């Protein structure tokens, strides 16, 4: 399976299991960091709004 073919969490899990363990851990960490960076602006904005009220 190629990374571009991942459509669901199950696909991602299967793809990661197909990688060598060390590489799978690095990729999982990168995915987690990217997800956090995408959420951070929304989280920060909600905290700003909380402080303003």
């Amino acid at each position: 399976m190629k990374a571009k073919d991942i459509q669901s969490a199950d696909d991602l899990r299967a793809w990661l299991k197909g990688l060598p363990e060390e590489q799978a851990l690095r990729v999982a960490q990168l995915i987690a960091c990217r997800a956090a960076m995408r959420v951070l602006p929304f989280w920060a904005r909600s905290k700003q709004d909380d402080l303003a009220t």
Side-chain angles (χ1 to χ4, degrees):
M1 175 185 301
K2 294 184 179 184
K4 68 178 184 172
D5 298 328
I6 298 170
Q7 299 292 321
S8 68
D10 289 336
D11 291 344
L12 177 59
R13 196 171 295 114
W15 180 72
L16 286 171
K17 285 184 179 182
L19 297 175
E21 185 177 358
E22 187 174 312
Q23 185 179 6
L25 290 173
R26 281 195 310 248
V27 170
Q29 289 171 342
L30 289 171
I31 292 169
C33 287
R34 183 174 175 159
M37 289 188 295
R38 290 185 69 157
V39 170
L40 184 62
F42 299 103
W43 178 82
R45 179 63 187 231
S46 74
K47 293 301 174 186
Q48 263 184 340
D49 291 345
D50 288 347
L51 295 173
T53 58

